[in-house]
Amino acid sequence: MTVSLRNKIFLMMASPFLFSFGSYAAEKTAAWSPTVLGYEPMTPGLLGDWGGIRSTLSDNGFNYALIYQTESAYNVSGGYDKSGHFAFVDQTALLFTQDLERLTGMSDAKIEGLITNRNHDDNLTTERLQDQRVHFNDLAQEGWGTGSITRLGYLTFSRTFMDQKLTWRAGLMNYQQTFDQITPCDFQLLTLCGGKSSNSLTWNTWNIHSWGTTLAYAITPELTIKTGVIEQNPRAADTSRAWSFTTHGSKGVLLPVEAELKTHMNGLPGAYNLGILFTNAKQYSLYTPVGQETESYNRTWFAWAGFNQQVTSHQDDKSRGMSVFGNMSLADQRTDVSHIVASLGIRYRGLFDAMPNDYIGFGGSWIDMSNRLAKTERQINQINGIYDYDNPLYQPVQGHAINFDLYYRFRPVSWLDIQPDVQYWINPAAVSETKNAFVVGIKTAIRF
């Protein structure tokens, strides 16, 4: 991820951060535009040129974005705890890129950074929607996580080679700088926010850093192969590691491989990907039979795939129209609580002529929890001799869940998004005894 205008940056509104499909492919396929796919071009911020500061910095190779976002949710009915609660979280993200060619003469090299501040550790999902005795598997506010804290999201060096076909990145990073980039994070429901690679639970999302290095090679302007080596450190999300450079606590390495295809169908852009992740860090079985030792595995895997395709244009205006998307993950359910997570949805940009930059989106997700986890939950109840769900000592058994989200995003001015949404949760947290829940929410974003 970078803020460099030179690299065809697109604003990823929901999480919110900047997004790039890669400089070589973007320049060689200039007609390929992901606007209707959910990635907006840069727009003027609330403070414009900051009195000339932004232009002066840009002239010296320094580009940045400052974005403030809020996410609120209220449980109208259903859920584990039916008492109404208005939950609110917010975050501020500062992204920056320094073009090193301007300073050192090193061609097409840059420093990339992200700093985030999150506040109001208020999570409707765990407080009201789901049974607190089980693992959560979705969030009504995707921006929640790691508490109220300021963190270094990433700080990396990157450079291209071979006429910009090969991009190398190294430093304190997160995988989303390189991998699983085809689906934006515009929905407020977590399982509809971006791709599914985060369900591996062995690497961290965009505001948490780990040591690593990645390579992305554009075999053709359409097809890019990506790989890398990233530290697998369960302590990376700790509060004490918010600004840490240490590798203390590392358990091994992550080895991802992904193919990403950008193409056209009937003259309209689409993006497709397929990836797999291996780790040599020891993982432990979610189920241990009574009287036996817990199994451990030195090699586990995780796979993801997705598509995001524009299917219509609005009266021959290709910057407006409908796109469809789908993505899924498949995990080694011996060690991962989420076996299969799959999502499908649509979004439409510019439905109304008077509001060509607005979006409407609808999607649903299906979540299947690990059968190893379910065996453990049943075993706990057998050992305790408790089979009454209302007993506080009962361990609910997780199966599958289905969640839906519908939003409309207003953009009354170039620097402001206002996005109300409604959510419907079937079997919250994959517990069939929990009442289906109806949630209303609102997400806002201000770009400075």
Side-chain angles (χ1 to χ4, degrees):
M1 288 172 280
T2 174
V3 192
S4 171
L5 299 178
R6 164 182 191 173
N7 286 330
K8 312 293 186 183
I9 300 308
F10 302 94
L11 187 59
M12 187 169 180
M13 276 317 309
S15 245
F17 56 87
L18 298 180
F19 180 93
S20 171
F21 278 98
S23 59
Y24 172 78
E27 291 178 9
K28 299 297 183 180
T29 57
W32 190 89
S33 171
T35 302
V36 175
L37 303 183
Y39 295 103
E40 284 287 304
M42 290 289 290
T43 55
L46 171 63
L47 301 180
D49 198 33
W50 288 66
I53 294 176
R54 185 186 292 270
S55 293
T56 300
L57 292 173
S58 182
D59 290 342
N60 289 278
F62 186 86
N63 291 282
Y64 69 91
L66 181 62
I67 308 166
Y68 174 72
Q69 175 183 288
T70 71
E71 292 184 2
S72 304
Y74 179 80
N75 54 318
V76 177
S77 64
Y80 180 72
D81 184 342
K82 302 174 185 61
S83 58
H85 177 68
F86 176 82
F88 174 87
V89 297
D90 67 347
Q91 67 179 2
T92 302
L94 171 65
L95 305 101
F96 59 89
T97 297
Q98 175 62 58
D99 184 349
L100 295 178
E101 188 170 0
R102 300 284 186 92
L103 299 179
T104 67
M106 186 182 300
S107 62
D108 208 22
K110 55 185 173 287
I111 298 293
E112 303 162 301
L114 165 66
I115 298 171
T116 64
N117 170 261
R118 286 186 169 179
N119 289 291
H120 305 99
D121 191 11
D122 191 8
N123 179 4
L124 183 70
T125 302
T126 57
E127 293 183 19
R128 291 293 189 275
L129 300 181
Q130 72 156 44
D131 193 320
Q132 297 182 2
R133 295 171 289 185
V134 299
H135 298 271
F136 78 83
N137 59 13
D138 208 346
L139 290 172
Q141 302 146 280
E142 56 81 20
W144 174 86
T146 70
S148 295
I149 189 173
T150 300
R151 307 187 67 104
L152 175 66
Y154 58 77
L155 184 63
T156 55
F157 168 85
S158 66
R159 188 179 183 186
T160 66
F161 303 89
M162 304 172 64
D163 191 27
Q164 297 187 321
K165 292 181 181 180
L166 177 67
T167 300
W168 171 55
R169 177 178 285 113
L172 295 166
M173 62 171 50
N174 63 66
Y175 76 90
Q176 289 177 310
Q177 289 180 268
T178 303
F179 301 99
D180 202 11
Q181 297 183 325
I182 68 167
T183 308
C185 186
D186 46 355
F187 288 84
Q188 188 166 293
L189 190 70
L190 179 64
T191 52
L192 291 169
C193 169
K196 294 293 179 288
S197 51
S198 61
N199 292 322
S200 71
L201 304 181
T202 55
W203 54 8
N204 297 295
T205 51
W206 74 291
N207 68 325
I208 300 171
H209 63 267
S210 299
W211 284 103
T213 183
T214 62
L215 293 169
Y217 180 71
I219 297 176
T220 70
E222 294 79 24
L223 178 63
T224 300
I225 301 297
K226 307 175 182 182
T227 188
V229 179
I230 302 174
E231 170 194 15
Q232 204 278 303
N233 194 331
R235 296 194 57 193
D238 290 356
T239 300
S240 61
R241 299 296 181 89
W243 293 87
S244 175
F245 285 58
T246 183
T247 60
H248 182 68
S250 293
K251 301 299 183 182
V253 295
L254 303 166
L255 303 172
V257 178
E258 180 184 276
E260 177 188 272
L261 178 68
K262 297 176 298 296
T263 187
H264 287 87
M265 181 181 296
N266 298 323
L268 300 175
Y272 302 77
N273 70 351
L274 175 64
I276 189 166
L277 173 70
F278 296 96
T279 178
N280 67 354
K282 183 176 291 186
Q283 308 292 314
Y284 293 91
S285 175
L286 294 171
Y287 173 69
T288 302
V290 176
Q292 297 185 22
E293 293 186 0
T294 300
E295 288 185 278
S296 63
Y297 312 98
N298 293 324
R299 296 181 183 84
T300 55
W301 58 271
F302 177 86
W304 68 92
F307 70 90
N308 190 4
Q309 177 67 54
Q310 184 174 346
V311 293
T312 70
S313 59
H314 187 92
Q315 299 176 354
D316 297 324
D317 181 356
K318 292 186 178 181
S319 69
R320 297 168 62 187
M322 179 184 292
S323 63
V324 296
F325 70 90
N327 48 55
M328 70 169 294
S329 62
L330 178 65
D332 186 339
Q333 63 177 329
R334 298 176 303 175
T335 59
D336 195 316
V337 296
S338 298
H339 178 213
I340 301 173
V341 183
S343 298
L344 187 66
I346 62 173
R347 62 176 59 83
Y348 198 105
R349 183 179 190 270
L351 184 63
F352 305 108
D353 291 340
M355 296 176 285
N357 299 316
D358 287 4
Y359 281 87
I360 185 171
F362 175 75
S365 296
W366 180 74
I367 307 164
D368 179 57
M369 304 298 285
S370 165
N371 60 16
R372 292 281 186 104
L373 176 64
K375 290 177 69 174
T376 293
E377 292 165 337
R378 294 189 184 97
Q379 180 173 267
I380 291 172
N381 292 328
Q382 291 172 355
I383 293 173
N384 294 332
I386 299 174
Y387 302 97
D388 178 9
Y389 175 77
D390 293 325
N391 188 318
L393 297 180
Y394 177 79
Q395 175 59 60
V397 178
Q398 294 178 270
H400 71 273
I402 302 174
N403 298 334
F404 297 96
D405 193 2
L406 169 68
Y407 78 80
Y408 189 91
R409 189 170 80 200
F410 301 92
R411 180 169 289 181
V413 289
S414 65
W415 48 267
L416 175 65
D417 289 339
I418 302 171
Q419 180 176 308
D421 81 314
V422 293
Q423 304 172 19
Y424 191 72
W425 295 51
I426 300 174
N427 299 340
V431 176
S432 60
E433 292 90 346
T434 302
K435 297 292 185 180
N436 297 346
F438 178 61
V439 176
V440 295
I442 187 167
K443 174 189 292 190
T444 66
I446 301 174
R447 293 170 292 281
F448 296 93

